[in-house]
């Protein structure tokens, strides 16, 4: 991707976000469900309900509401959550790092498992044991992340209680950190005891998110490795006296990585989407978990803020994937 | 004198179908031998067998391939690998697909030198520059830093020739190295191969279907047909006084300036029946890939 292309993509970001904002805003107001109805006590008077509606601006026409909200968002004000009664932006900033850390850990775990599985699989190519690897990948892929969450929770939280099954960290631990990126900050500042406690809580949800994605990485990479290994340059490397593992690692792998990153990278968005249910299952305090509460409570400002946040994450991820592919493939750099 | 390459009674089968049916052929030190035949005659398969590059379902069923007296088929894998790329080299057919697309030219050559000759990074770089200059690449320093897609097909073939001769091989197998190139580039490539084999003292097995190429650079030639050696000898003898009708047909099918080419009559079965005592009809040869 050349700089012109990058600029074109960046210019497209605001209109994309605007489109997302329109859709979520309209959808929320078209589908049944009313945030005020969720928060009033039984027997509240019509006048009280009216006052609450006016307080949140819900008595205005939709277009008017949208214009007001958009104006606020543009100036960095995402409004106030109806159910939690806090500033939406503050809520997002407090919870987003937890989700980013979880998604990062899950992605890294998946990449490690996926790459190892693909390499083992390709080394066994043509042998009977290749089916074992393919079968294992198939099983991992067939079970969705939330089901893995329940399986792991039952296995390692209940039957063999090895790991904690809820929360981000033990409440008694004094964090005393500056940012909300607990894991990253504790590692960078050398507080490995805190990092360890955090990881302890993150292993199961991260693994639940990682396993299906690892299978996807393994399948994509193994197929690309097989395809690249049949190319002339890999065959000719054999005629130059390189061993097969050497060829796979140094000649074939850098080529196979390109389609794998291009296709697999965008699938990280699926993993991010998976955080919603998995965070809920493990009571992990990220934005996914918060999204479910927001939807249950019809918390319009919070839902809008969350959807925009996910949209920004997805756009950033797609850009990152394209940049990585460009770095890996010299043919794209020179057009 | 031990032959650089001695193939004896080589039989290669794809599944149950025989593609080489007892081929014998010698390449003496410093000799350039042409290996000709129409598509499907098995000439590329022979080169691949020597290099250990036979496709997955293909196997050597009989025979011997000796390199400087040592049987390539019988030796240990590691020993064979130490010969390949160093003592036995390949100039591949298609320069467009034969270089790794994500690695710079300099790195691809340098890795080969470091792998086989144990050169340091710095020494490999210096030698790579020399090699590129040797194949008439005028600004090696610039080309070193380029990726394969940034240079022309002819230039890529020159890079591949440089890689083939990089470790002073005793034998170079040139697998139709000019087929994918246009005519003017073909000539340059042939001249290069000729110059480099003289400089490095290598023998060359030149696989081609182009008799014109054979006439230009090969001292001796072997004509392969349907997996057997049909005719063999000094190039001038074979081309001027072909003993076999098939060779004559091949010659007649070569376009020349002074007369139009005749279509190659692919198989004269009666002649082949004459040549071999055993009953051999083309319809008994299973098609490649047939179950």
């Amino acid at each position: 991707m050349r700089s012109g292309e990058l600029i074109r993509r960046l210019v497209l970001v605001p209109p994309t976000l605007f489109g997302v904002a329109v859709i979520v805003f309209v959808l929320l107001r078209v589908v049944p469900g009313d945030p005020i109805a969720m928060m009033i006590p039984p027997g509240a008077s019509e006048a009280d309900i009216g006052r609450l509606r006016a307080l949140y601006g819900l008595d205005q026409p939709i277009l008017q509401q949208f214009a007001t909200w958009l104006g606020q968002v543009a100036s960095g004000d995402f409004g106030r959550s109806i159910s939690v009664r806090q500033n939406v932006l503050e809520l997002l900033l407090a919870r987003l790092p937890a989700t980013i850390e979880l998604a990062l850990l899950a992605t890294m775990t998946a990449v490690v498992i996926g790459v190892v599985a693909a390499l083992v699989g390709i080394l066994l190519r043509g042998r009977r044991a290749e089916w074992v690897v393919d079968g294992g990948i198939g099983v991992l892929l067939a079970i969705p992340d939330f089901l893995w969450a329940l399986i792991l929770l039952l296995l390692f939280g209940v039957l063999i209680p090895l790991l904690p099954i809820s929360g981000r960290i033990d409440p008694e631990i004094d964090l005393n950190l500056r940012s909300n990126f607990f894991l990253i900050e504790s590692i960078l500042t050398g507080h490995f005891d805190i990092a360890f406690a955090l990881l302890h809580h993150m292993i199961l949800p991260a693994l639940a998110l990682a396993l299906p994605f690892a299978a996807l990485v393994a399948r994509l990479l193994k197929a690309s490795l097989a395809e690249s290994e049949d190319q002339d340059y890999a065959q000719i490397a054999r005629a130059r006296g390189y061993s097969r593992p050497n060829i796979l690692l140094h000649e074939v792998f850098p080529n196979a990585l390109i389609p794998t990153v291009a296709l697999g990278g965008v699938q990280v968005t699926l993993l991010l989407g998976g955080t919603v249910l998995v965070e809920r299952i493990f009571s992990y305090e990220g934005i996914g978990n918060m999204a479910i509460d927001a939807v249950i409570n019809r918390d319009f400002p919070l839902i809008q803020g969350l959807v925009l946040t996910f949209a920004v994450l997805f756009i950033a991820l797609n850009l990152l994937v394209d940049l990585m592919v460009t770095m890996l493939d010299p043919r794209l750099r020179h057009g | 004198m031990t032959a650089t390459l001695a193939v004896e009674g080589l039989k290669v089968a794809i599944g149950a179908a025989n593609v080489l049916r007892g081929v014998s052929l010698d390449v003496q030190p410093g000799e350039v031998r042409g290996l000709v035949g129409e598509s499907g005659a098995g000439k590329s398969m022979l080169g691949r067998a020597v290099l250990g590059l036979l496709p997955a379902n293909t196997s050597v069923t009989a025979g011997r391939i000796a390199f400087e007296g040592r049987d390539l088929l019988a030796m240990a894998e590691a020993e064979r690998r130490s010969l390949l790329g160093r003592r036995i080299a390949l100039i591949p057919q298609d320069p467009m697909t034969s270089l790794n697309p994500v690695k710079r030219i300099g790195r691809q050559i340098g890795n080969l030198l470091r792998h086989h000759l144990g050169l340091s990074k710095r020494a490999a770089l210096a030698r790579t520059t020399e090699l590129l200059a040797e194949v008439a690449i005028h600004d090696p320093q610039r080309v070193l830093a380029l990726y394969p897609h940034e240079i022309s097909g002819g230039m890529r073939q020159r890079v591949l020739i440089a890689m083939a001769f990089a470790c002073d091989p005793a034998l170079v197998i040139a697998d139709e190295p000019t087929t994918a190139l246009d005519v003017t580039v073909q000539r340059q490539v042939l001249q290069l191969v000729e110059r480099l084999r003289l400089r490095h003292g290598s023998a060359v097995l030149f696989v081609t279907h182009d008799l014109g190429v054979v006439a230009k650079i090969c001292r001796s030639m072997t004509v392969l047909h349907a997996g057997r050696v049909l005719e063999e000898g000094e190039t001038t003898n074979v081309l001027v006084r072909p003993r076999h009708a098939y060779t004559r047909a091949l010659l007649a099918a070569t376009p020349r300036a002074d007369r139009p080419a005749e279509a190659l009559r692919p198989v004269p079965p009666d002649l082949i029946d004459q040549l071999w005592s055993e009953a051999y009809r083309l319809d008994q040869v299973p098609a490649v890939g047939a179950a």
Side-chain angles (χ1 to χ4, degrees), chain A residues 2-334:
Chain A
R2 282 161 295 177
S3 52
E5 169 74 2
L6 183 65
I7 291 166
R8 198 180 68 82
R9 296 280 295 269
L10 288 175
V11 166
L12 279 175
V13 171
T16 311
L17 287 176
F18 180 80
V20 171
V22 171
I23 291 169
V24 66
F25 200 89
V26 171
L27 269 184
L28 279 177
R29 279 152 184 83
V30 168
V31 298
D34 179 352
I36 305 302
M38 307 298 293
M39 60 194 290
I40 47 166
S45 71
E46 281 297 321
D48 289 340
I49 295 174
R51 264 209 304 282
L52 270 173
R53 284 193 174 285
L55 179 65
Y56 288 102
L58 296 172
D59 54 345
Q60 307 280 326
I62 283 194
L63 211 60
Q64 174 96 47
Q65 287 185 39
F66 185 65
T68 310
W69 176 66
L70 206 63
Q72 289 172 342
V73 168
S75 62
D77 176 11
F78 283 70
R80 218 176 143 72
S81 156
I82 298 175
S83 60
V84 197
R85 285 166 211 183
Q86 282 182 42
N87 183 301
V88 168
L89 189 63
E90 280 171 20
L91 277 171
L92 288 173
L93 289 179
R95 294 286 200 105
L96 182 60
T99 297
I100 290 181
E101 285 189 341
L102 182 64
L104 267 179
L105 184 68
T107 306
M108 290 193 303
T109 311
V111 167
V112 171
I113 298 175
V115 168
V116 170
L119 286 174
V120 170
I122 200 74
L123 275 173
L124 296 172
R125 192 182 183 191
R127 292 199 220 161
R128 204 159 295 178
E130 186 187 4
W131 293 96
V132 178
V133 176
D134 285 345
I137 292 172
V139 169
L140 286 187
L141 201 57
I143 301 177
D145 47 19
F146 60 89
L147 214 53
W148 276 118
L150 294 173
I151 294 170
L152 291 170
L153 189 143
L154 275 175
L155 265 179
F156 299 107
V158 179
L159 288 179
I160 321 161
L162 282 175
L163 293 160
I165 54 169
S166 114
R168 193 176 176 195
I169 194 159
D170 309 302
E172 63 268 23
I173 290 182
D174 178 24
L175 280 169
N176 193 22
L177 297 169
R178 277 199 219 150
S179 73
N180 287 313
F181 288 97
F182 295 168
L183 183 63
I184 295 171
E185 189 183 337
S186 61
I187 290 173
L188 288 181
T189 55
H191 293 94
F192 295 114
D193 50 333
I194 297 178
F196 186 78
L198 284 161
L199 280 174
H200 210 217
H201 279 78
M202 289 166 82
I203 288 175
L204 289 183
L207 208 55
L209 290 167
L211 288 178
F213 188 58
L216 189 91
V217 171
R219 184 168 278 190
L220 278 172
L221 183 60
K222 184 166 173 273
S224 310
L225 284 168
E227 201 193 314
S228 299
E229 195 186 9
D230 292 337
Q231 301 292 310
D232 282 348
Y233 61 82
Q235 296 288 309
I236 287 162
R238 272 170 64 200
R240 296 210 177 103
Y242 294 108
S243 67
R244 182 157 183 259
N246 188 335
I247 294 169
L248 282 174
L249 221 55
H250 294 114
E251 305 288 327
V252 174
F253 185 73
N255 282 284
L257 214 50
I258 297 166
T260 309
V261 170
L263 295 170
V266 290
Q267 304 286 335
V268 177
T269 53
L270 282 184
L271 188 148
L272 267 177
T275 58
V276 172
L277 280 175
V278 172
E279 284 184 1
R280 186 64 166 192
I281 291 168
F282 289 99
S283 310
Y284 186 84
E285 291 136 21
I287 56 169
N289 198 350
M290 189 161 72
I292 292 184
D293 285 327
V295 170
I296 290 174
N297 293 316
R298 302 290 187 278
D299 191 337
F300 288 175
L302 189 53
I303 295 174
Q304 287 155 196
L306 280 163
V307 171
L308 278 184
T309 307
F310 273 110
V312 169
L313 282 178
F314 285 15
I315 291 171
L317 201 66
N318 275 298
L319 263 177
L320 188 71
V321 167
D322 285 349
L323 282 172
M324 281 173 69
V325 170
T326 313
M327 275 171 54
L328 290 171
D329 192 344
R331 285 162 295 192
L332 295 177
R333 284 204 289 277
H334 311 282

Side-chain angles (χ1 to χ4, degrees), chain A residues 231-233 235-236 238-244 246 250-252 254-255 258 328-331 333-334, chain B residues 51-54 81 84-85 88 90 92 97-103 111-112 115-116 147 149-150 160 163:
Chain A
Q231 301 292 310
D232 282 348
Y233 61 82
Q235 296 288 309
I236 287 162
R238 272 170 64 200
R240 296 210 177 103
Y242 294 108
S243 67
R244 182 157 183 259
N246 188 335
H250 294 114
E251 305 288 327
V252 174
N255 282 284
I258 297 166
L328 290 171
D329 192 344
R331 285 162 295 192
R333 284 204 289 277
H334 311 282
Chain B
L51 295 161
L53 281 188
L54 289 177
R81 277 212 313 269
L84 291 175
I88 307 173
L90 167 73
T97 57
S98 298
L99 288 163
N100 192 331
V102 304
K103 289 179 152 185
N111 281 353
L112 182 72
H115 180 77
H116 279 305
Y147 289 96
H149 72 274
E150 296 175 283
L160 288 160
M163 290 177 86

